[in-house]
Amino acid sequence: MPEKTNEPATSTAALTVFMLVKTNPEWLGFSIDERFRLLAEHVEPIVKKHRPNVRLRFYDIEFYSARVTDLWMWEATDHHAYELLVEDLRETPFWDRYFAIVEILPGVENAYASNYNRAALSA
């Protein structure tokens, strides 16, 4: 079963990527136990492999959106670490078979403030 956390080596990500994904019928046809087995088989080894440089957080949003069902948030220490992770994910059935990758939104936290040498707003 996938672990609940996988903290990166650093506390500040250089890049955060929001992957908006939608479950495909094949995934929904599996039992809950089979889904967790498949996550452990295909995704967990990749997350562990990239753990020093990449962190994954899952968000369920099917309750609030018809366009996407989940948001996978990746925090990476650098762009290359994220790229290597995606290369590995693309070799699994999770990429465009079990889930449709609807949109990928990369961002840099508080870049607006750091680019102007200002304190970031926070709540």
Side-chain angles (χ1 to χ4, degrees):
M1 179 179 251
E3 295 178 13
K4 290 187 177 185
T5 62
N6 58 329
E7 295 297 323
T10 61
S11 60
T12 304
L15 175 69
T16 302
V17 178
F18 300 91
M19 276 188 189
L20 283 64
V21 303
K22 186 171 179 99
T23 52
N24 284 331
E26 185 175 2
W27 179 254
L28 296 174
F30 295 131
S31 70
I32 300 299
D33 287 341
E34 181 65 4
R35 291 178 197 171
F36 277 90
R37 187 194 69 73
L38 290 166
L39 282 166
E41 178 183 339
H42 295 287
V43 178
E44 188 174 7
I46 293 170
V47 170
K48 284 182 176 181
K49 174 182 175 183
H50 296 279
R51 178 173 292 153
N53 300 310
V54 181
R55 178 179 180 221
L56 168 63
R57 295 169 65 183
F58 284 98
Y59 292 86
D60 292 303
I61 58 175
E62 63 267 14
F63 321 107
Y64 311 106
S65 172
R67 186 169 78 97
V68 297
T69 57
D70 301 275
L71 185 143
W72 300 343
M73 187 180 93
W74 300 96
E75 294 175 310
T77 56
D78 58 63
H79 289 263
H80 189 65
Y82 168 75
E83 293 164 7
L84 292 173
L85 168 94
V86 169
E87 291 292 350
D88 284 347
L89 284 174
R90 291 182 67 213
E91 299 298 324
T92 74
F94 280 82
W95 192 274
D96 281 338
R97 179 173 160 192
Y98 297 154
F99 290 85
I101 310 303
V102 176
E103 192 166 357
I104 297 174
L105 303 168
V108 178
E109 186 176 15
N110 294 320
Y112 74 98
S114 64
N115 289 341
Y116 296 104
N117 295 318
R118 304 292 176 122
L121 294 175
S122 63

